[in-house]
Amino acid sequence: MERTKISELENRISEKVKIAGWINARRDHGKLIFLDLRDSSGKIQMVSLPQKTETHKIADTLRDEWVVEINGIVNKRPEKMINPEEVLGKIELEISEIKVLNEAETPPFEISGDTSNISEETRLKYRYLDLRTDRMQKNMKTRSQFIQNCREYLFNKKFIEIETPILTESTPEGSRDFVVPSRIHPGKFYALPQSPQQYKQLLMVAGFEQYFQIARAVRDEDLRADRGFEHTQIDIEVSFVSQDNFLNLIEGMMTEVVEKMGYKIKEKPFPRISYKEAMEKYGADKFDLRTDKEKEEGILAYAWVVDFPFFEKTADGQWTFSHNPFSMPKPENVPDLLAGKNIENIMTQQYDLVCNGFESGGGSIRAHQPEILKAVYKVMGFNDKETEERIGHLLEAFTYGAPPHGGIALGVERNIMNLTGELNLREVQAFPMTRGGQTAVMKAPKELTKEQLKELKIKIEN
Ligand code: ASP
C-alpha cells in the first residue's frame, strides 16, 4: 500500500490506509492507548485497541519521537471525542499494524511545545529537533511560500534568475568582509559576497535587463537579534527604468506576494516619504505606521523612504556614501557632483522600503556613466589610481554601452520576521549561528589541520 500524508486522511474515511511519521504524544486511557502521529503535513490521533493483542503490545512500547509506519482504518471520532481545536479533530486512525522504523532518545526539550524559552545553545545544538516544532515548521513554510511567490511574480514579469559567484572580490558595501584564503595563490584571498551588487550591474551591461536572484549575502558585522553573519536577499536589477516605475514594480510584487499569503496591507499605494520628512516626523528613516490595534491584527504597514542625501561625514571628517556608492544622484545634482562642490546637498535616487518599523529593503537607480561613478569616488577622497584599483573593472564595463539601470535587495529574514511576528532573525533561518558566532549543530569556526595550513601557507600567530 502507498503511504498517505496525514493531511489527506480527511477524505479517506472508512478506508484502510498506511501513514508514517513521528510519535508526537501518547496518552494511556485504561486499556486504550492513544498516540498522536505527526508528519510534515499534519497530526492525527490514533487509537490502539487491546483486542489486537500483538499490535497493542508494540503500541505500548512506543515513545515520543519514534519513527513508525502504521496501517489502519480512518474512523469518524465518537461525538464526545471531537476536538474542534485540532485540524483533524473529527477523525482518528484505528491501528491495525505498527512497524517501528526507528527508535528515538528522549529529546532534550519538548517537541510538542514552543521552544522560545529554551536556551539558544541547546536549541541550536539540536536544531534538527527544534525545527520539528510547530512554530519552526510554520516559520520555514512561510519563508518558502514568500520566496516562491516572489519568484512567481518575477517570472511572470519575464525576469531571469541568474546566480553570481560566492568566491569573489570584496565589494565596498560598507561592512567587514569574510575572506577565504587561496591555495593556488598563497597570500591572496577571496571575499564572500556582501551582496551581488557589482555582478548584477554587470548583468545589466550584459543585456539581461531584468535580473533577480535569491542571493546569500555575508557580512562580518556585530551579531544582534536582527542581524547574523549570513542573510538572504531577493536581489533585483532592471534596465531602462525610472525610479517611479521601479518602485511601482516592487510595490506590485510585495502586495501580490503578501496578499496571496492572506496578509492585509494598511495603505495602498504605499506612502512615499522623503528622508527629510521622515527624520522630522519620526526621528528615524524607519518607522511604524500601525496603530496598536493594527499591530495585534498582524497588519503590514509599508512605506517608501526616498530622497536620501548621497554622502555623510565619517568620524574623521571624510565624506562617505550614506547608502550605496553606485547610486545615481538626482539629475539636478549631477553638475555639483561632477564639480565636487555643495556635497552636503547632493541627493541620491536611493529608496528604502520600510515595513512595521523596520527596513525591509533598499536600493537605488545607479550611476551608469563612468564619469559620475568616478566623481563619487573622488568626493570620498580616492585618487584616480585608488578608484581604478577598487572599481576599475566596473568603470571599464561602463564604457561599453551600459544601459541606465536600478535595483533593490529585499531582506528575506526581515520580511519573514514581519510576517510571522518573530523578533529574532534566528527564528526564521533553518540553521542560524549562535550570538557567539558558532554554527548550529556543526562546530565552525574551528582550527584547520597542520596539513591544511601548510597547503595554504598560513601561519597562526598566538
Ligand atoms: N546592494 C544593496 C544591499 O545589499 C542593495 C541594492 O542597492 O540593490 O543592501
Side-chain angles (χ1 to χ4, degrees), residues 97-294:
E97 233 178 286
I98 300 174
K99 193 161 147 195
V100 174
L101 301 177
N102 217 344
E103 298 183 5
E105 294 290 337
T106 305
F109 44 79
E110 251 187 79
I111 307 295
S112 55
D114 183 317
T115 49
S116 25
N117 293 325
I118 309 291
S119 82
E120 177 182 275
E121 217 188 317
T122 310
R123 284 181 66 196
L124 292 185
K125 176 164 184 222
Y126 299 100
R127 187 58 156 185
Y128 44 89
L129 297 178
D130 190 25
L131 287 170
R132 285 185 188 171
T133 61
D134 277 349
R135 184 169 60 101
M136 297 307 290
Q137 290 268 319
K138 188 176 136 263
N139 288 355
M140 297 320 295
K141 285 175 187 164
T142 302
R143 180 177 175 134
S144 168
Q145 192 66 57
F146 177 81
I147 291 176
Q148 184 189 338
N149 290 351
C150 289
R151 266 207 174 96
E152 269 171 18
Y153 178 91
L154 293 166
F155 281 139
N156 283 339
K157 297 265 187 230
K158 306 279 179 275
F159 274 73
I160 109 159
E161 184 171 8
I162 304 180
E163 288 149 276
T164 53
I166 286 291
L167 292 176
T168 177
E169 189 186 327
S170 81
T171 58
E173 219 77 54
S175 302
R176 212 174 283 118
D177 286 316
F178 266 97
V179 294
V180 179
S182 160
R183 177 182 56 84
I184 57 171
H185 301 285
K188 294 195 174 161
F189 297 81
Y190 302 97
L192 301 181
Q194 291 190 30
S195 87
Q197 181 74 41
Q198 296 192 51
Y199 285 114
K200 68 174 169 175
Q201 293 194 245
L202 293 172
L203 289 170
M204 295 302 106
V205 181
F208 287 103
E209 293 195 33
Q210 285 169 293
Y211 140 97
F212 86 97
Q213 177 181 193
I214 313 301
R216 308 299 291 278
V218 187
R219 301 175 187 184
D220 188 357
E221 298 182 301
D222 292 338
L223 299 167
R224 296 195 312 230
D226 63 347
R227 210 196 252 164
F229 290 145
E230 288 182 51
H231 72 273
T232 303
Q233 52 192 40
I234 315 246
D235 197 55
I236 300 175
E237 198 77 11
V238 176
S239 293
F240 306 107
V241 76
S242 65
Q243 172 169 318
D244 223 35
N245 286 345
F246 187 72
L247 297 191
N248 290 341
L249 171 89
I250 300 304
E251 189 165 325
M253 177 177 86
M254 292 308 291
T255 304
E256 189 174 307
V257 165
V258 302
E259 286 185 346
K260 236 189 198 174
M261 296 170 79
Y263 292 90
K264 281 212 177 65
I265 295 174
K266 180 179 165 106
E267 196 179 336
K268 293 188 288 186
F270 302 168
R272 293 186 188 179
I273 302 174
S274 74
Y275 171 77
K276 186 164 174 274
E277 194 187 330
M279 294 308 283
E280 282 164 8
K281 228 166 145 178
Y282 309 106
D285 56 2
K286 342 179 190 335
F287 39 82
D288 197 339
L289 296 171
R290 294 169 305 167
T291 59
D292 287 344
K293 185 156 171 278
E294 287 168 335

